[in-house]
């Protein structure tokens, strides 16, 4: 069975942008976490996950995001997410992760806020 996930990488200055695509659930959470860990460089000051092309995101995917946020915050780096569909936003809000992880409506708004510091 295909992994059903992909990450397209971009950078804006020292902000690493992971544009997620597909269905993120317990079947591919480990792969998702490894992809994020391999993507971030020592010089990156922030990681932004863009959810614009995510069709499904489970609590297993959220746990990956939470672990990345804690790790990056521990290293003095920032972590944020953006462009959530209504269904994904609902999962994030029900879980309470919206109180822990900063959410922006658009990639542009997120990048501007992360650049300001």
């Amino acid at each position: 069975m295909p992994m059903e996930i992909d990450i397209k990488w971009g950078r804006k200055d020292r902000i690493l942008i992971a544009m997620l695509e597909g269905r993120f659930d317990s079947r591919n959470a480990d792969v998702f976490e490894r992809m994020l860990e391999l993507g971030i460089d020592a010089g990156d000051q922030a990681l932004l996950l863009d959810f614009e092309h995510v069709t499904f995101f489970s609590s297993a995917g959220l746990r990956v995001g939470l672990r990345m946020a804690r790790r990056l915050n521990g290293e003095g780096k920032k972590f944020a997410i953006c462009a959530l569909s209504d269904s994904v936003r609902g999962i994030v809000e029900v879980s309470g992760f919206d109180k822990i992880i900063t959410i922006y409506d658009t990639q542009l708004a997120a990048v501007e806020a992360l650049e300001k510091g």
Side-chain angles (χ1 to χ4, degrees), residues 46-102:
L47 173 61
L48 173 62
L49 303 186
D50 185 326
F51 282 74
E52 184 176 357
H53 298 288
V54 172
T55 56
F56 180 80
F57 203 78
S58 75
S59 58
L62 285 175
R63 284 189 292 277
V64 170
L66 185 58
R67 282 195 296 271
M68 287 301 296
R70 285 183 176 150
R71 179 183 137 203
L72 293 173
N73 288 338
E75 296 172 3
K77 299 179 181 192
K78 297 177 188 139
F79 179 87
I81 60 178
C82 69
L84 279 65
S85 66
D86 289 342
S87 61
V88 172
R89 184 177 289 272
I91 293 166
V92 171
E93 290 173 353
V94 165
S95 70
F97 284 10
D98 60 325
K99 308 287 189 275
I100 302 167
I101 298 172
T102 307

Side-chain angles (χ1 to χ4, degrees), residues 11-24:
R11 274 202 172 74
K12 175 73 169 92
D13 299 319
R14 296 174 68 189
I15 301 168
L16 178 63
I17 303 167
M19 293 160 280
L20 311 179
E21 293 184 19
R23 255 183 96 77
F24 295 78

